[in-house]
Structure formats: C-alpha cells, structure tokens
Amino acid sequence: MAGNHDIGFGWSIVPEAYERYKTVFGDPNFSLTIANHTFVCIDTLGFSGASESVYYQNADKFLNEFVADESNVFPRILLSHVPLYRPDNSPCGSIRNKPLIKQGSGYQYQNLIVEPLANHILSNIKPVLTLSGDDHDDCIFTHTLLADGVETEYPEHSIATFSWLQGNIFPGFALLSLNPDTQGIRDSSAHALRTCSLPPQLKIYNWYITLLLISVFGCFVMGLWRAFVTGKTVGETQRKKEDDAVDRSISVKFAASCALRGLANGCWLFGEVLIVLLNEIRLKETFEKYSKTPHKIRTREVFAVLDEIIPQLGVFGPLVTIIKDELFQSVFSKTLTSCEVEPFVERVPFFSIAGRVDEARHVTGLVSEEAEKANDSLAELQQRVRFRDHDLQILYKKNMALKQDITDYQLKQETLLSKIKALEDQCHKYELEKGESAYYYSAKEDSLKHEIEKLQVTKTTLAQKNAIIDKLTVFKTAYNDASSSALDEIEKNKTELIVDSIGMVEYDIYQAERLQEQFAEILNYQMDDFELALSQLRKKKEILVGVVINETERDASYMLEVSRIDSFGKLILAAARAGGRVP
C-alpha cells in the first residue's frame, strides 16, 4: 500500500515517484479476496487531490467499477494509508501512547482524510473493518453514518509503527484472523484483530549504555587492582635486593600510576570501540544509500574510514598504509574530477571510466542500430510515399471525374428546377381557372335552380288549369248529353236546324276543350323530358369533375349542354304562357 513518503500526498504527488511505485509494486488501487474476505485498497493519497488530476480519476474509476461489480459478495476490509476523518481529539482506546489525532496538513502529508471523501468511501465500500496507518500509533475509532434513517457503524483500527525511530517508543503490529465461513457483506463475526506490542527499543539501548558504563568502571577497577598488586610485588623485590633502602612511598606512587594507566587503557579501549561502531554505522548508511556496486562514493567512504582507523592500528599501521596506497593506485586513475567535499577535486575510479566506455560503446551501438532502423524506416517511408503519390494521382483523376459529374448534375438540377417552376406556375394557373370555373358553374347552377323553380310554378299553374278543364269537361259532358237529346228530338220531329249564337258558343267551347287537353298532355311530356335532361347533366358534371381532362373542353361541353337545356326550358315556358292565354 502506497504511503505519502513513497509518492506524496494529494496536490503534491510526485509523478516520477508514482510511476516508479506503480512499476515496482503495481497499481495503488486494487482488491483481492482471501478466505472469502475482499481486501479493498484505495489510493486515498491521490483521491485527496484535485478532481481533474489523473490520480483522483484513477481512484474514482476503481471505486465505481468495484461498486458496480455484482460478484463482490464477501465481507470487505478497507485499506487506507491515511486514517479516515474523525473529530479532533476523538478517543483512540487505552493502548495509545502518543497524543490524540488532530487534523493537520503540510507538504506531502495530511493527518486525516477530509470528511466528504471519507463518507463517500465508507458509504460505497461498506467495510466491516478499516485498517490504516500513517499516525505511527494505535487508534481504535468507530465511524457512524446515517442512511435512509438507519445508522450504520464502520470500525477503523490504525496500526502502530513497527520501528521506534518513527516517534513511537512502543512499536507494534497486528494479527488479523479470517474465517472463510461468511454470511453476506456485513458479516463482522468472521474476522478477529489482535494488537501485538514490541519491547520498548529505547529501554533496550538504555540497558546497553548502562552495561557499557559498568564495563568501563569494571575495567578501571581491574586496572587499579592489577596495578596495586603488581606494584606491591615489585616493591618487595626491590626491598630485598637493596636491603629495604628504598622508601615504601615509591610503591604507592607506582600503584597510583598503574591505576591511572589502567583507567587510560579502559578509556582508550572504549574510544576504539566507539570509533569502530561509528565507522561501521557510517559505512552501512553509505552502502544502503548507494546499493549499486561498484560506486565511487562507496569506494571513497571506504578509503576515508581506512584513513581514520590506520592511526589506531599501532604496529600494523604502516603495513595497512602500504596496502591502502596500493589499492588506491589500483582503483583510482590520474584523471581528476570535481566532487562535493573538500578539497572538491578527486580522482576518477577506473571502474567509472570503464563504465563510461561501456556506456559510450552501448550508446554508439544503439546509435548505429537506431541509424540502421532509421534508414530502413526512411526507405519504407519513401516506398509508402511513392505508393501514396500513385494513389493521389488516381484520387485526383477520380476527383476530376466526380467534379464533372457534379457539374452535370447541377445543370440537370437547374433544368429540373426550371421545369418544376413552370409546372408550379401552370398548376397555379389551373388553380385560378378552376376557381373561376367553379364560380361560373355555381352561378349557372343557381340560375338553373331559379328556372326549375319557375317551371315548378308553371307546373302548379297548369295543374290548376287542368282542374278547371276537368270542371269544364264535366259541364260539357252534361251539356253534350242535353244537346244530343235535343238533336234527337229535332231529328225525330224533322224540324229545321236553326243555328243561333248559343250554338256557336257551345261549339267554340268544345274546340277549346279539345285543344286544352292536347296542350296539357304535350306540356306534361315536355316537363318530364326537361327534368330528365337536367338530372343527366348534373351527373355528367360530377363525372367530368372527377376525371382529369382538359378543363377547356370540359367547360365547352358543359356550356353546350346548358345552352341546349336553357333553350328547351325557354320553349316550355313560352308554351306554358301560350296555354295560359287559352280561354
């Protein structure tokens, strides 16, 4: 899991460090399933940056895809380097040693994930446990979120650092146990977390220092005791040889000098041990910082340590100096270069020169290979250019042909548009003529209806005349019967016929009745023919309107029929008027 010391934090993530971490360890956003538990690691460092950054988008995309994946049915354990948001000075449990966590931020660090982002992650992942670090000390906190009126708890455990150099003198770790028999994604009974504390490393070092002081004091006492005993023996021997001529004070002074010499030897020994430890630490730090070998800084530090320890070697110093000088001449060339330490000039090692030569050869080889590849690529490109030129010529010809076709099509289009315009004008003209014809036909039809109404009135008048004729016929029949009886009597009596005025009137009445009857029959027949012709004309007009023919011919035919019917109607009206004048 990536930390802020690996790639940075939020707005200050180092792109090179991010890519290096991704290349060596993989994507910071991932998930894996162990014992029917899904561990979800989210890059909360990149997720805390700006929404338009690629690191934020990577984390957001991973979160959305994980939530949309319906195959994630096991309990989820969330992994985050930085602890999730909680109020300042929230309790962390009894196992915490440092002060409580407060929100704070600086260059490439932030103590807590902000509240909106923390709630967003928890509401989507819904973990049964959240494990975090960064704070370097244990902290147990339970987050509570309210959703749809229901409060849900999400426990989080921040794990202590494993090293006492990270500001916690009580380092530790945690042991997570998983039970594969799970019941849904919210089953929190299938795991157990136990915190384990390491011994306080600083106290161990305190014991080391204490024991070292005791050892130094023991060495001092031992030297003092040895000096005192040795001095006493020498004093007795001298007294025996010189017959006790020398004063006993010599033995006391010698014992004191021996004690001081023992103390000096103990301090010197402690100093040598300290120098050895310091040089060893110095070399280890250099080797860890520059792990690649051979390296000129590693070699320079080795010779610097030799220069420091040679004066402490005593009789072996000259020999080691000769060996060091020979090694120096074998390792370093006479070529000078600048350096970062005094005297700011140093000799370049042979392996550096050899590395540069190899690198130059490698670069030369790469350049040659690149040149060959470039030549091959150039030849291939030239061949492609020739093919493209040929294709372009073909396309140019096709383009010219298409342009000509387009020109022809445009001319045809203009011709068609002119024809369409003429047809539209003709249609408009026909529409106008059709409107005028419809108006004319409507007026003519109204005139015919008026004439029909007049004929109906004439027919009614004729009916009344017929009624009068019927009455005159009855009167005539009665009169004829009387006349016939009178004529018979005259014939019988063979009297002379005398024509008087009354007889003439009767004869005229008889002739009028005969003419009236004949005229009435003829008029009735003519009226029937007129109505039949009028109905046929109406049907013909309806048929002609539905059939697409020349409107001029249709109007001429219709007007001819109308004129014929009109003359026929006038004839009937004249006959009717003439019949009306019959007495």
Side-chain angles (χ1 to χ4, degrees):
M1 180 167 55
N4 56 307
H5 293 291
D6 299 322
I7 63 175
F9 183 89
W11 58 91
S12 58
I13 286 181
V14 181
E16 294 80 4
Y18 185 90
E19 292 299 328
R20 179 184 61 193
Y21 181 91
K22 191 174 180 179
T23 302
V24 176
F25 300 102
D27 198 331
N29 301 285
F30 65 90
S31 65
L32 72 159
T33 302
I34 302 175
N36 292 340
H37 286 74
T38 302
F39 288 82
V40 184
C41 181
I42 295 183
D43 179 21
T44 52
L45 308 174
F47 218 172
S48 299
S51 58
E52 61 271 10
S53 68
V54 64
Y55 316 112
Y56 178 95
Q57 294 174 2
N58 291 340
D60 187 59
K61 179 181 178 182
F62 168 78
L63 179 61
N64 294 331
E65 291 178 351
F66 179 83
V67 174
D69 189 359
E70 298 180 356
S71 62
N72 297 317
V73 296
F74 299 124
R76 302 163 183 176
I77 299 177
L78 176 63
L79 303 179
S80 172
H81 177 75
V82 181
L84 304 182
Y85 173 81
R86 75 284 309 273
D88 291 345
N89 297 323
S90 296
C92 288
S94 59
I95 59 176
R96 184 175 180 84
N97 300 298
K98 294 173 59 178
L100 298 177
I101 302 177
K102 294 182 179 180
Q103 180 64 290
S105 62
Y107 179 69
Q108 291 190 348
Y109 84 91
Q110 185 170 293
N111 294 339
L112 297 171
I113 299 298
V114 295
E115 184 177 6
L117 179 58
N119 293 340
H120 176 65
I121 294 174
L122 290 176
S123 61
N124 282 278
I125 300 298
K126 298 180 175 60
V128 295
L129 177 64
T130 300
L131 299 178
S132 60
D134 187 70
D135 184 61
H136 301 166
D137 200 358
D138 289 287
C139 183
I140 301 174
F141 184 80
T142 301
H143 303 274
T144 303
L145 294 184
L146 181 63
D148 298 332
V150 179
E151 289 187 352
T152 307
E153 294 183 349
Y154 300 100
E156 178 183 357
H157 196 130
S158 298
I159 309 301
T161 180
F162 194 75
S163 172
W164 69 281
L165 297 176
Q166 301 296 325
N168 185 8
I169 63 174
F170 296 95
F173 59 94
L175 176 64
L176 178 64
S177 301
L178 302 176
N179 184 2
D181 186 12
T182 59
Q183 304 293 331
I185 63 173
R186 293 299 297 163
D187 185 8
S188 59
S189 62
H191 71 272
L193 184 68
R194 182 177 180 182
T195 303
C196 305
S197 298
L198 296 174
Q201 193 73 20
L202 188 59
K203 291 185 178 180
I204 295 175
Y205 287 147
N206 290 335
W207 274 106
Y208 286 166
I209 295 174
T210 302
L211 293 177
L212 178 62
L213 294 177
I214 293 174
S215 300
V216 170
F217 181 74
C219 291
F220 171 74
V221 173
M222 182 68 69
L224 183 62
W225 180 76
R226 290 179 61 185
F228 179 77
V229 173
T230 303
K232 183 178 179 181
T233 304
V234 172
E236 291 178 352
T237 304
Q238 288 179 353
R239 283 195 301 271
K240 290 180 180 180
K241 289 181 179 182
E242 297 176 2
D243 296 327
D244 295 332
V246 182
D247 189 74
R248 190 173 178 82
S249 60
I250 297 175
S251 298
V252 175
K253 292 179 180 179
F254 184 75
S257 64
C258 289
L260 293 176
R261 187 183 303 167
L263 179 60
N265 290 335
C267 293
W268 177 80
L269 180 63
F270 175 72
E272 287 186 341
V273 172
L274 186 59
I275 290 173
V276 171
L277 289 176
L278 291 177
N279 287 320
E280 182 179 1
I281 293 172
R282 176 183 176 183
L283 289 177
K284 286 184 177 180
E285 289 179 350
T286 304
F287 293 165
E288 288 178 358
K289 186 175 181 180
Y290 304 97
S291 58
K292 183 180 178 180
T293 183
H295 196 280
K296 66 177 184 179
I297 296 180
R298 291 168 61 105
T299 306
R300 184 175 64 193
E301 290 296 325
V302 168
F303 279 100
V305 170
L306 285 176
D307 290 336
E308 291 184 7
I309 65 174
I310 284 176
Q312 311 297 330
L313 296 179
V315 295
F316 296 101
L319 178 62
V320 175
T321 301
I322 295 172
I323 296 173
K324 185 205 78 168
D325 293 338
E326 185 66 23
L327 288 175
F328 187 84
Q329 297 296 331
S330 301
V331 173
F332 289 94
S333 66
K334 295 182 179 181
T335 304
L336 299 178
T337 184
S338 61
C339 63
E340 299 175 354
V341 295
E342 292 183 357
F344 304 108
V345 176
E346 65 178 0
R347 298 168 67 176
V348 180
F350 284 111
F351 59 80
S352 296
I353 297 176
R356 292 177 183 177
V357 173
D358 293 338
E359 184 177 356
R361 290 177 180 175
H362 180 67
V363 171
T364 304
L366 291 178
V367 170
S368 301
E369 292 178 359
E370 293 294 334
E372 293 178 359
K373 291 181 179 178
N375 291 329
D376 296 338
S377 301
L378 182 60
E380 184 179 358
L381 288 175
Q382 290 176 350
Q383 185 67 22
R384 289 183 179 180
V385 167
R386 287 193 291 270
F387 290 155
R388 289 294 175 88
D389 290 338
H390 180 68
D391 295 338
L392 287 175
Q393 292 178 0
I394 296 174
L395 288 175
Y396 178 74
K397 294 180 180 179
K398 291 183 178 180
N399 189 18
M400 295 301 295
L402 288 174
K403 286 183 178 180
Q404 185 63 35
D405 293 339
I406 290 172
T407 304
D408 296 339
Y409 290 150
Q410 288 177 350
L411 293 175
K412 292 181 180 179
Q413 183 181 8
E414 291 177 357
T415 305
L416 291 174
L417 289 175
S418 61
K419 290 182 179 180
I420 291 172
K421 180 64 176 177
L423 290 174
E424 287 179 352
D425 295 338
Q426 190 174 359
C427 290
H428 182 66
K429 181 179 178 182
Y430 288 159
E431 290 292 334
L432 294 177
E433 292 178 353
K434 183 178 178 181
E436 293 176 357
S437 299
Y439 177 75
Y440 175 76
Y441 294 150
S442 177
K444 199 65 178 176
E445 186 176 359
D446 293 338
S447 177
L448 291 175
K449 287 182 179 180
H450 183 65
E451 295 295 334
I452 291 171
E453 290 177 357
K454 289 182 179 181
L455 291 176
Q456 291 291 339
V457 173
T458 304
K459 186 177 180 181
T460 304
T461 305
L462 290 175
Q464 293 176 359
K465 296 292 184 178
N466 289 330
I468 295 172
I469 291 170
D470 290 338
K471 291 180 181 181
L472 291 175
T473 303
V474 173
F475 177 74
K476 180 182 178 183
T477 303
Y479 180 76
N480 289 335
D481 292 340
S483 298
S484 62
S485 61
L487 291 174
D488 290 341
E489 185 178 354
I490 293 170
E491 184 67 25
K492 183 178 179 181
N493 294 326
K494 295 182 180 181
T495 59
E496 186 179 358
L497 178 60
I498 300 173
V499 179
D500 54 4
S501 61
I502 296 174
M504 292 298 293
V505 171
E506 290 177 354
Y507 180 75
D508 291 336
I509 292 172
Y510 172 74
Q511 292 294 330
E513 289 176 355
R514 293 286 295 174
L515 290 173
Q516 186 71 27
E517 289 177 0
Q518 293 176 2
F519 183 75
E521 290 179 2
I522 293 170
L523 188 60
N524 287 330
Y525 288 138
Q526 294 295 332
M527 286 294 295
D528 293 337
D529 293 338
F530 179 75
E531 290 179 355
L532 179 60
L534 186 61
S535 63
Q536 290 177 355
L537 181 60
R538 289 176 179 173
K539 291 181 180 178
K540 186 176 181 181
K541 180 182 177 182
E542 293 176 359
I543 293 172
L544 291 175
V545 171
V547 178
V548 181
I549 61 173
N550 194 334
E551 292 186 0
T552 305
E553 296 178 358
R554 185 181 64 191
D555 294 342
S557 177
Y558 184 73
M559 293 301 297
L560 180 60
E561 295 293 333
V562 169
S563 61
R564 290 173 57 189
I565 295 173
D566 190 18
S567 61
F568 184 68
K570 291 179 179 179
L571 181 60
I572 294 173
L573 289 175
R577 291 190 185 97
R581 289 196 297 271
V582 176

